[in-house]
mmCIF file of all heavy atoms in Angstrom:
data_model
loop_
_atom_site.group_PDB
_atom_site.id
_atom_site.type_symbol
_atom_site.label_atom_id
_atom_site.label_comp_id
_atom_site.label_asym_id
_atom_site.label_seq_id
_atom_site.Cartn_x
_atom_site.Cartn_y
_atom_site.Cartn_z
ATOM 1 N N TYR A 215 -11.433 24.913 -14.696
ATOM 2 C CA TYR A 215 -10.531 25.505 -15.686
ATOM 3 C C TYR A 215 -10.085 24.466 -16.715
ATOM 4 O O TYR A 215 -10.040 24.677 -17.911
ATOM 5 C CB TYR A 215 -9.261 26.114 -14.990
ATOM 6 C CG TYR A 215 -8.084 26.278 -15.902
ATOM 7 C CD1 TYR A 215 -8.128 27.204 -16.918
ATOM 8 C CD2 TYR A 215 -6.950 25.490 -15.712
ATOM 9 C CE1 TYR A 215 -7.016 27.354 -17.760
ATOM 10 C CE2 TYR A 215 -5.881 25.638 -16.545
ATOM 11 C CZ TYR A 215 -5.893 26.569 -17.577
ATOM 12 O OH TYR A 215 -4.834 26.698 -18.462
ATOM 13 N N VAL A 216 -9.762 23.237 -16.231
ATOM 14 C CA VAL A 216 -9.369 22.174 -17.082
ATOM 15 C C VAL A 216 -10.484 21.639 -17.923
ATOM 16 O O VAL A 216 -10.450 21.444 -19.151
ATOM 17 C CB VAL A 216 -8.710 21.032 -16.263
ATOM 18 C CG1 VAL A 216 -8.438 19.776 -17.163
ATOM 19 C CG2 VAL A 216 -7.376 21.504 -15.656
ATOM 20 N N ASN A 229 -18.256 17.865 -29.730
ATOM 21 C CA ASN A 229 -16.972 17.208 -29.942
ATOM 22 C C ASN A 229 -17.148 15.703 -29.659
ATOM 23 O O ASN A 229 -16.598 14.846 -30.392
ATOM 24 C CB ASN A 229 -15.859 17.780 -29.097
ATOM 25 C CG ASN A 229 -15.276 19.081 -29.661
ATOM 26 O OD1 ASN A 229 -15.607 19.458 -30.789
ATOM 27 N ND2 ASN A 229 -14.484 19.737 -28.870
ATOM 28 N N ALA A 267 -1.090 17.379 -26.140
ATOM 29 C CA ALA A 267 -1.391 18.707 -26.607
ATOM 30 C C ALA A 267 -0.766 19.755 -25.678
ATOM 31 O O ALA A 267 -0.594 19.520 -24.494
ATOM 32 C CB ALA A 267 -2.890 18.893 -26.674
ATOM 33 N N PRO A 268 -0.523 20.955 -26.231
ATOM 34 C CA PRO A 268 -0.064 22.035 -25.369
ATOM 35 C C PRO A 268 -1.194 22.530 -24.445
ATOM 36 O O PRO A 268 -2.305 22.795 -24.906
ATOM 37 C CB PRO A 268 0.330 23.147 -26.355
ATOM 38 C CG PRO A 268 -0.527 22.868 -27.547
ATOM 39 C CD PRO A 268 -0.712 21.354 -27.628
ATOM 40 N N THR A 269 -0.893 22.571 -23.169
ATOM 41 C CA THR A 269 -1.886 23.142 -22.249
ATOM 42 C C THR A 269 -1.156 24.077 -21.257
ATOM 43 O O THR A 269 -0.071 23.702 -20.769
ATOM 44 C CB THR A 269 -2.643 22.012 -21.460
ATOM 45 O OG1 THR A 269 -1.721 21.100 -20.912
ATOM 46 C CG2 THR A 269 -3.608 21.305 -22.349
ATOM 47 N N GLY A 270 -1.722 25.211 -21.025
ATOM 48 C CA GLY A 270 -1.117 26.174 -20.127
ATOM 49 C C GLY A 270 -1.465 25.901 -18.665
ATOM 50 O O GLY A 270 -2.473 25.265 -18.389
ATOM 51 N N SER A 297 3.429 24.330 -23.978
ATOM 52 C CA SER A 297 2.683 25.565 -24.199
ATOM 53 C C SER A 297 3.560 26.816 -23.917
ATOM 54 O O SER A 297 4.418 26.742 -23.019
ATOM 55 C CB SER A 297 1.484 25.565 -23.264
ATOM 56 O OG SER A 297 0.927 26.860 -23.157
ATOM 57 N N THR A 298 3.279 27.869 -24.609
ATOM 58 C CA THR A 298 3.881 29.156 -24.275
ATOM 59 C C THR A 298 3.543 29.470 -22.782
ATOM 60 O O THR A 298 4.427 30.009 -22.041
ATOM 61 C CB THR A 298 3.276 30.315 -25.109
ATOM 62 O OG1 THR A 298 3.543 30.074 -26.506
ATOM 63 C CG2 THR A 298 3.796 31.668 -24.725
ATOM 64 N N ALA A 299 2.373 29.079 -22.343
ATOM 65 C CA ALA A 299 1.907 29.416 -20.978
ATOM 66 C C ALA A 299 2.290 28.292 -19.993
ATOM 67 O O ALA A 299 1.534 27.980 -19.062
ATOM 68 C CB ALA A 299 0.403 29.637 -20.942
ATOM 69 N N GLN A 318 4.863 25.215 -28.518
ATOM 70 C CA GLN A 318 3.654 25.900 -29.045
ATOM 71 C C GLN A 318 3.826 27.389 -28.792
ATOM 72 O O GLN A 318 4.162 27.835 -27.680
ATOM 73 C CB GLN A 318 2.421 25.370 -28.319
ATOM 74 C CG GLN A 318 1.134 26.111 -28.703
ATOM 75 C CD GLN A 318 0.830 27.193 -27.735
ATOM 76 O OE1 GLN A 318 0.980 27.049 -26.503
ATOM 77 N NE2 GLN A 318 0.271 28.314 -28.197
ATOM 78 N N TYR A 320 2.190 31.165 -28.789
ATOM 79 C CA TYR A 320 1.116 32.196 -28.859
ATOM 80 C C TYR A 320 1.803 33.470 -29.223
ATOM 81 O O TYR A 320 2.782 33.855 -28.534
ATOM 82 C CB TYR A 320 0.491 32.364 -27.492
ATOM 83 C CG TYR A 320 -0.640 31.392 -27.104
ATOM 84 C CD1 TYR A 320 -0.743 30.890 -25.859
ATOM 85 C CD2 TYR A 320 -1.640 30.993 -28.041
ATOM 86 C CE1 TYR A 320 -1.771 30.025 -25.482
ATOM 87 C CE2 TYR A 320 -2.645 30.178 -27.693
ATOM 88 C CZ TYR A 320 -2.669 29.665 -26.432
ATOM 89 O OH TYR A 320 -3.739 28.816 -26.036
ATOM 90 N N THR A 345 -0.259 28.477 -32.644
ATOM 91 C CA THR A 345 -1.708 28.387 -32.373
ATOM 92 C C THR A 345 -2.402 29.664 -32.874
ATOM 93 O O THR A 345 -2.024 30.757 -32.464
ATOM 94 C CB THR A 345 -1.965 28.216 -30.837
ATOM 95 O OG1 THR A 345 -1.392 27.001 -30.443
ATOM 96 C CG2 THR A 345 -3.449 28.182 -30.529
ATOM 97 N N LYS A 440 -1.849 25.254 -35.611
ATOM 98 C CA LYS A 440 -2.868 24.621 -34.800
ATOM 99 C C LYS A 440 -4.081 25.512 -34.682
ATOM 100 O O LYS A 440 -3.950 26.704 -34.452
ATOM 101 C CB LYS A 440 -2.312 24.374 -33.372
ATOM 102 C CG LYS A 440 -3.291 23.840 -32.368
ATOM 103 C CD LYS A 440 -2.612 23.452 -31.075
ATOM 104 C CE LYS A 440 -3.541 22.825 -30.065
ATOM 105 N NZ LYS A 440 -4.374 23.844 -29.351
ATOM 106 N N SER A 462 -8.490 21.662 -35.126
ATOM 107 C CA SER A 462 -8.793 21.763 -33.670
ATOM 108 C C SER A 462 -9.753 22.899 -33.436
ATOM 109 O O SER A 462 -9.694 23.943 -34.079
ATOM 110 C CB SER A 462 -7.462 22.049 -32.939
ATOM 111 O OG SER A 462 -7.741 22.447 -31.616
ATOM 112 N N HIS A 464 -9.844 23.811 -30.267
ATOM 113 C CA HIS A 464 -9.304 24.191 -28.988
ATOM 114 C C HIS A 464 -10.060 23.537 -27.829
ATOM 115 O O HIS A 464 -10.266 24.096 -26.790
ATOM 116 C CB HIS A 464 -9.312 25.706 -28.840
ATOM 117 C CG HIS A 464 -8.186 26.259 -28.025
ATOM 118 N ND1 HIS A 464 -7.061 26.857 -28.557
ATOM 119 C CD2 HIS A 464 -7.981 26.298 -26.684
ATOM 120 C CE1 HIS A 464 -6.248 27.212 -27.633
ATOM 121 N NE2 HIS A 464 -6.806 26.886 -26.442
ATOM 122 N N GLY A 465 -10.501 22.282 -28.118
ATOM 123 C CA GLY A 465 -11.249 21.567 -27.048
ATOM 124 C C GLY A 465 -12.500 22.329 -26.646
ATOM 125 O O GLY A 465 -12.910 22.267 -25.517
ATOM 126 N N ARG A 467 -13.072 25.372 -26.261
ATOM 127 C CA ARG A 467 -12.835 26.429 -25.247
ATOM 128 C C ARG A 467 -12.897 27.817 -25.857
ATOM 129 O O ARG A 467 -12.779 28.803 -25.156
ATOM 130 C CB ARG A 467 -11.451 26.204 -24.592
ATOM 131 C CG ARG A 467 -11.392 24.955 -23.750
ATOM 132 C CD ARG A 467 -9.986 24.539 -23.454
ATOM 133 N NE ARG A 467 -9.340 25.300 -22.434
ATOM 134 C CZ ARG A 467 -9.472 25.115 -21.092
ATOM 135 N NH1 ARG A 467 -10.296 24.198 -20.684
ATOM 136 N NH2 ARG A 467 -8.795 25.805 -20.215
ATOM 137 N N ASP A 495 -7.298 17.400 -32.912
ATOM 138 C CA ASP A 495 -7.629 17.231 -31.477
ATOM 139 C C ASP A 495 -9.043 17.761 -31.246
ATOM 140 O O ASP A 495 -9.686 18.255 -32.141
ATOM 141 C CB ASP A 495 -6.570 17.836 -30.560
ATOM 142 C CG ASP A 495 -6.596 19.372 -30.509
ATOM 143 O OD1 ASP A 495 -7.647 19.993 -30.816
ATOM 144 O OD2 ASP A 495 -5.586 19.919 -30.120
ATOM 145 N N SER A 496 -9.491 17.630 -30.001
ATOM 146 C CA SER A 496 -10.773 18.085 -29.460
ATOM 147 C C SER A 496 -11.737 16.945 -29.320
ATOM 148 O O SER A 496 -12.362 16.497 -30.310
ATOM 149 C CB SER A 496 -11.347 19.205 -30.355
ATOM 150 O OG SER A 496 -10.490 20.342 -30.398
ATOM 151 N N GLY A 497 -11.798 16.433 -28.122
ATOM 152 C CA GLY A 497 -12.829 15.412 -27.786
ATOM 153 C C GLY A 497 -12.304 13.997 -27.745
ATOM 154 O O GLY A 497 -13.059 13.068 -27.439
ATOM 155 N N ILE A 498 -11.028 13.756 -27.876
ATOM 156 C CA ILE A 498 -10.466 12.387 -27.839
ATOM 157 C C ILE A 498 -10.502 11.850 -26.408
ATOM 158 O O ILE A 498 -9.861 12.431 -25.530
ATOM 159 C CB ILE A 498 -9.042 12.288 -28.408
ATOM 160 C CG1 ILE A 498 -8.964 12.826 -29.845
ATOM 161 C CG2 ILE A 498 -8.486 10.863 -28.243
ATOM 162 C CD1 ILE A 498 -9.210 11.861 -30.914
ATOM 163 N N ARG A 499 -11.276 10.777 -26.180
ATOM 164 C CA ARG A 499 -11.311 10.191 -24.847
ATOM 165 C C ARG A 499 -11.115 8.674 -24.882
ATOM 166 O O ARG A 499 -11.021 8.060 -23.807
ATOM 167 C CB ARG A 499 -12.699 10.470 -24.206
ATOM 168 C CG ARG A 499 -13.019 11.964 -24.017
ATOM 169 C CD ARG A 499 -12.162 12.657 -22.983
ATOM 170 N NE ARG A 499 -12.544 14.065 -22.838
ATOM 171 C CZ ARG A 499 -12.025 15.064 -23.544
ATOM 172 N NH1 ARG A 499 -11.066 14.819 -24.456
ATOM 173 N NH2 ARG A 499 -12.468 16.302 -23.357
ATOM 174 N N LEU A 516 -4.033 14.682 -30.887
ATOM 175 C CA LEU A 516 -3.470 15.224 -29.636
ATOM 176 C C LEU A 516 -4.422 14.974 -28.501
ATOM 177 O O LEU A 516 -5.667 15.144 -28.701
ATOM 178 C CB LEU A 516 -3.158 16.722 -29.807
ATOM 179 C CG LEU A 516 -2.031 17.129 -30.721
ATOM 180 C CD1 LEU A 516 -2.440 17.119 -32.124
ATOM 181 C CD2 LEU A 516 -1.477 18.501 -30.303
ATOM 182 N N LEU A 517 -3.838 14.664 -27.361
ATOM 183 C CA LEU A 517 -4.666 14.462 -26.127
ATOM 184 C C LEU A 517 -4.552 15.737 -25.299
ATOM 185 O O LEU A 517 -3.400 16.111 -24.930
ATOM 186 C CB LEU A 517 -4.159 13.269 -25.337
ATOM 187 C CG LEU A 517 -4.102 11.906 -26.109
ATOM 188 C CD1 LEU A 517 -3.436 10.840 -25.205
ATOM 189 C CD2 LEU A 517 -5.522 11.488 -26.472
ATOM 190 N N GLY A 518 -5.664 16.369 -25.004
ATOM 191 C CA GLY A 518 -5.591 17.566 -24.148
ATOM 192 C C GLY A 518 -6.052 17.227 -22.763
ATOM 193 O O GLY A 518 -5.229 16.826 -21.905
ATOM 194 N N ARG A 519 -7.367 17.238 -22.515
ATOM 195 C CA ARG A 519 -7.855 16.987 -21.134
ATOM 196 C C ARG A 519 -7.559 15.551 -20.690
ATOM 197 O O ARG A 519 -7.329 15.337 -19.488
ATOM 198 C CB ARG A 519 -9.339 17.262 -21.054
ATOM 199 C CG ARG A 519 -9.690 18.717 -21.238
ATOM 200 C CD ARG A 519 -11.155 18.939 -21.114
ATOM 201 N NE ARG A 519 -11.617 20.256 -21.427
ATOM 202 C CZ ARG A 519 -11.845 20.733 -22.639
ATOM 203 N NH1 ARG A 519 -11.625 19.970 -23.707
ATOM 204 N NH2 ARG A 519 -12.315 21.973 -22.812
ATOM 205 N N ALA A 520 -7.596 14.545 -21.580
ATOM 206 C CA ALA A 520 -7.434 13.169 -21.164
ATOM 207 C C ALA A 520 -6.179 13.012 -20.291
ATOM 208 O O ALA A 520 -6.205 12.467 -19.179
ATOM 209 C CB ALA A 520 -7.387 12.239 -22.362
ATOM 210 N N LEU A 522 -4.499 15.394 -18.899
ATOM 211 C CA LEU A 522 -4.541 16.306 -17.739
ATOM 212 C C LEU A 522 -5.306 15.632 -16.584
ATOM 213 O O LEU A 522 -4.965 15.812 -15.396
ATOM 214 C CB LEU A 522 -5.221 17.639 -18.124
ATOM 215 C CG LEU A 522 -4.393 18.624 -18.956
ATOM 216 C CD1 LEU A 522 -5.198 19.874 -19.212
ATOM 217 C CD2 LEU A 522 -3.070 18.949 -18.241
HETATM 218 C C1 FMN B 646 -6.538 23.422 -19.494
HETATM 219 C C2 FMN B 646 -6.203 23.643 -20.945
HETATM 220 C C3 FMN B 646 -5.254 24.547 -21.368
HETATM 221 C C4 FMN B 646 -4.945 24.704 -22.665
HETATM 222 N N1 FMN B 646 -3.907 25.576 -23.030
HETATM 223 C C5 FMN B 646 -3.508 25.654 -24.320
HETATM 224 C C6 FMN B 646 -2.358 26.378 -24.705
HETATM 225 O O1 FMN B 646 -1.678 26.985 -23.847
HETATM 226 N N2 FMN B 646 -2.009 26.428 -26.009
HETATM 227 C C7 FMN B 646 -2.781 25.790 -26.978
HETATM 228 O O2 FMN B 646 -2.417 25.874 -28.176
HETATM 229 N N3 FMN B 646 -3.877 25.082 -26.652
HETATM 230 C C8 FMN B 646 -4.228 24.988 -25.351
HETATM 231 N N4 FMN B 646 -5.304 24.191 -24.990
HETATM 232 C C9 FMN B 646 -5.998 23.445 -26.072
HETATM 233 C C10 FMN B 646 -5.335 22.049 -26.270
HETATM 234 O O3 FMN B 646 -4.086 22.148 -26.825
HETATM 235 C C11 FMN B 646 -6.205 21.155 -27.165
HETATM 236 O O4 FMN B 646 -6.487 21.794 -28.391
HETATM 237 C C12 FMN B 646 -7.542 20.704 -26.514
HETATM 238 O O5 FMN B 646 -7.385 20.469 -25.168
HETATM 239 C C13 FMN B 646 -7.984 19.453 -27.180
HETATM 240 O O6 FMN B 646 -9.270 19.048 -26.723
HETATM 241 P P1 FMN B 646 -9.509 17.917 -25.593
HETATM 242 O O7 FMN B 646 -9.078 18.560 -24.295
HETATM 243 O O8 FMN B 646 -10.964 17.646 -25.703
HETATM 244 O O9 FMN B 646 -8.617 16.756 -25.941
HETATM 245 C C14 FMN B 646 -5.646 23.993 -23.699
HETATM 246 C C15 FMN B 646 -6.615 23.102 -23.292
HETATM 247 C C16 FMN B 646 -6.941 22.921 -21.926
HETATM 248 C C17 FMN B 646 -7.972 21.884 -21.568
#
Side-chain angles (χ1 to χ4, degrees):
Y215 159 68
V216 170
N229 281 350
T269 50
S297 164
T298 298
Q318 175 266 323
Y320 275 140
T345 296
K440 175 173 183 281
S462 167
H464 212 102
R467 293 163 78 81
D495 73 22
S496 300
I498 302 273
R499 301 289 183 271
L516 289 82
L517 304 173
R519 295 182 185 83
L522 286 180

